[in-house]
Amino acid sequence: MPNPTIYDVARTAGVGVGTVSRVLNNSTRVSPETQEKVLSAIRVLGFRRSKVARQLSTGIQHRNIGAIMPFITHPSFVERLRGMQLALNHQDNDFNLVLYNVSEPERYHEQLLAMVEQATVDGLLIATLNVSDDQRDLLTQAGIPFVTLSDACGEALNCISPDNRHGGYVAAQHLLELGHRRVAYVGDAFPNIYGFPTSELRYEGYLSALKEYGIPYHSEYVCLGAHGEDTAHRLTEHLLALPEPPTAIFAMSDIQAVGCILAIREAGLRVPEDISVIGFDDVQLSRYIGLTTVRQHLEQSGYLGMQLLLNMLTAPDNVVARQLPPLELVVRGSTQHWSALFR
Amino acid sequence: MPNPTIYDVARTAGVGVGTVSRVLNNSTRVSPETQEKVLSAIRVLGFRRSKVARQLSTGIQHRNIGAIMPFITHPSFVERLRGMQLALNHQDNDFNLVLYNVSEPERYHEQLLAMVEQATVDGLLIATLNVSDDQRDLLTQAGIPFVTLSDACGEALNCISPDNRHGGYVAAQHLLELGHRRVAYVGDAFPNIYGFPTSELRYEGYLSALKEYGIPYHSEYVCLGAHGEDTAHRLTEHLLALPEPPTAIFAMSDIQAVGCILAIREAGLRVPEDISVIGFDDVQLSRYIGLTTVRQHLEQSGYLGMQLLLNMLTAPDNVVARQLPPLELVVRGSTQHWSALFR
DNA sequence: TTTATGAGTGGAAGCGCTTCCAAGCAGGAT
DNA sequence: ATCCTGCTTGGAAGCGCTTCCACTCATAAA
């Protein structure tokens, strides 16, 4: 028997379904002999009670909030996740947090479709992933409220996002203010495999800062590749091999900044004495290694996103927008003044 | 109406339930006018389709694997989580990973009870938390297979755990081999609020190493407190204020080791020149800051735990035990040779 | 002996959906 | 006028459980 039900158990044990249910729920009103009969039938048949039927019958409403993100590859997910959990804890309601990891970008859409078709989630937090118009319609039509975290969203109400372009500007400006003139950008290739334009936006900010400070654009100072420490490491080696290597690097994420720093050290140079490095995100790690970076309040964005979503789920008539605090330049030890005069 | 059903929608729209269902599922065989009537009724009533009823009816079996841990306070959770997700991805089955955060230890048992009563999970991964005999029975009787990660388990089949006592021994031995004689232990107070004896086991390993090397035990070198960087920081200040401060510190986790190092630096001393520090876990951070530590393969333990649980869920007749690789001493820059002769 | 009492039990109803079958109905073919 | 076809539609059955009501049968009380 593929999937025995309590009817099968009842028949095998020679009792009624009510009795089986009572045994299953540890009701005391069952004689020891009957209980033993039922338990043995359960064992024989390999019976497993259906969670869904039970929930329907008892009227328990378990609501799931899905968090979907390519988190294995993105370290910043942790901080957002922590914020989400915090918001969930603060409101004492029966929502479960279900994790969906997008391991392969091609499967992302498929995963969304499955969620809609199989009604697995009641609400969705989408982080570090783009939502196409089709996908928005799909979710809307299915009645699944969702909140986008961190990227790719215009002025949509349901989006918690920093001003990436401004962040890119701030980072580059910091380096320019320190006197650097050969400033490189290390970031993700765009258009990104997940379809979000974070790298592009920060790059645009970088460009506008250069322009404002009257620095001519050098395409060899812009190095794009896959997200991650290793790629950044490789790109930096390439930068250092240039006839006129940069004196400062703006990495689009802290993890990539780490890759840059390691490459610089391996080349026998020092950070920040020889080359300054600024990152982006301010993940926990950055504090420990003393990385100058642009703080984007990751934990808080998870927190606000969850708050907003809960708001949409529990009081859909009265959804209030959430504001992320502005980006913040955090100066630590990885950037330093530079002047051609001292060379 | 508190919770309108499709019957209510059907009545309001003046159609049959079949038609409502068809509209809900985007079946094409509904005339535009009817569809509009239904949609408006849905809007008016604020109808939301029951996920559970739908799943029961369609026979979709969504199986949930719960991961329960005090993760907001324990940074090592990330690595385990990553391992869990990896294992889930490798087996292409319909399991959801549901996160349960134990924010207050008192609520842990309550959370387990709710899971059992409300049948929310089909299997459970329990990390950094102890499972009492009562709790074991509770889960067993409810037919919820579970795997414990990392602590507190004897030789139970369903437990993935490093040999914490041996790990403590290895860490202390490393310091002793380097010539240190005044070796402190900074760890969690035990019995721990969550009921697991990690700190105690590592402490025992520390003790046995001291004994083996013939070092007398000094109770003032053993500093216990809450888990976390801040407490470790404070405890270290206390250690440094001793008339004979230790020359080496064994911190029971990398995060605590970081707290120690910061306190040492703030006291104007250097690591490892003045004081050596060894941690435990080998979280990602440790690689970047050059912390000597004992690697306990956190990611892999999450991976193996998930594998084991999936095995229990899908082939309960043929459960095979999983072996965690042995602990590994990882020597980086935070420990150094010490000899009284050079002082 | 009769009458409460209560423990143990069987089974129908119902949870809210999907789906299938039957039936209504319009319009074209015969 | 009659039949057929195909598009819409209504509604019953069923998913697997819980729970309540009704019933039986001891046993205790009268």
Side-chain angles (χ1 to χ4, degrees), chain B residues 104-143:
Chain B
E104 300 136 56
E106 314 83 53
R107 292 207 49 214
Y108 164 46
H109 190 72
E110 191 183 314
Q111 285 176 283
L112 280 184
L113 278 175
M115 281 183 199
V116 169
E117 270 167 31
Q118 304 179 6
T120 37
V121 297
D122 301 278
L124 198 54
L125 285 161
I126 304 173
T128 330
L129 289 165
N130 194 24
V131 179
S132 70
D133 288 355
D134 282 357
Q135 290 167 337
R136 173 173 39 70
D137 294 345
L138 178 74
L139 293 169
T140 309
Q141 199 167 21

Side-chain angles (χ1 to χ4, degrees), chain B residues 243-298:
Chain B
E244 274 208 328
T247 66
I249 300 178
F250 164 30
M252 75 154 280
S253 78
D254 289 350
I255 295 305
Q256 281 155 311
V258 167
C260 299
I261 291 173
L262 292 179
I264 293 168
R265 292 219 184 113
E266 280 169 27
L269 298 169
R270 288 158 309 160
V271 176
E273 289 81 354
D274 300 308
I275 300 188
S276 286
V277 175
I278 184 169
F280 204 110
D281 286 345
D282 196 27
V283 296
Q284 215 178 7
L285 171 66
S286 309
R287 201 183 112 221
Y288 295 121
I289 61 173
L291 180 70
T292 296
T293 188
V294 178
R295 176 178 299 160
Q296 67 151 315
H297 308 276
L298 285 165

Side-chain angles (χ1 to χ4, degrees), chain A residues 236-311:
Chain A
T236 305
E237 288 173 347
H238 177 253
L239 282 171
L240 299 176
L242 250 35
E244 275 207 326
T247 65
I249 299 179
F250 164 30
M252 75 154 280
S253 78
D254 289 351
I255 295 304
Q256 281 156 310
V258 167
C260 298
I261 291 174
L262 293 180
I264 292 168
R265 291 219 184 112
E266 279 168 29
L269 298 168
R270 287 159 309 158
V271 175
E273 291 81 353
D274 298 308
I275 300 188
S276 287
V277 175
I278 186 169
F280 204 111
D281 285 347
D282 196 28
V283 296
Q284 214 177 9
L285 170 66
S286 309
R287 200 182 114 221
Y288 296 121
I289 61 173
L291 180 69
T292 295
T293 188
V294 178
R295 178 178 299 160
Q296 66 152 315
H297 308 276
L298 285 165
E299 180 173 325
Q300 195 156 4
S301 86
Y303 188 90
L304 292 175
M306 179 61 87
Q307 248 188 359
L308 179 58
L309 186 60
L310 288 173
N311 188 187

Side-chain angles (χ1 to χ4, degrees), chain B residues 16-33:
Chain B
V17 287
T19 305
V20 176
S21 180
R22 261 166 247 133
V23 171
L24 252 15
N25 294 302
N26 292 317
S27 167
T28 49
R29 328 220 114 206
V30 180
S31 75
E33 310 91 71

Side-chain angles (χ1 to χ4, degrees), chain A residues 157-158 308-313 315-322:
Chain A
L157 176 69
N158 60 339
L308 179 58
L309 186 60
L310 288 173
N311 188 187
M312 292 163 84
L313 283 164
D317 301 327
N318 181 30
V319 174
V320 296
R322 316 277 161 164

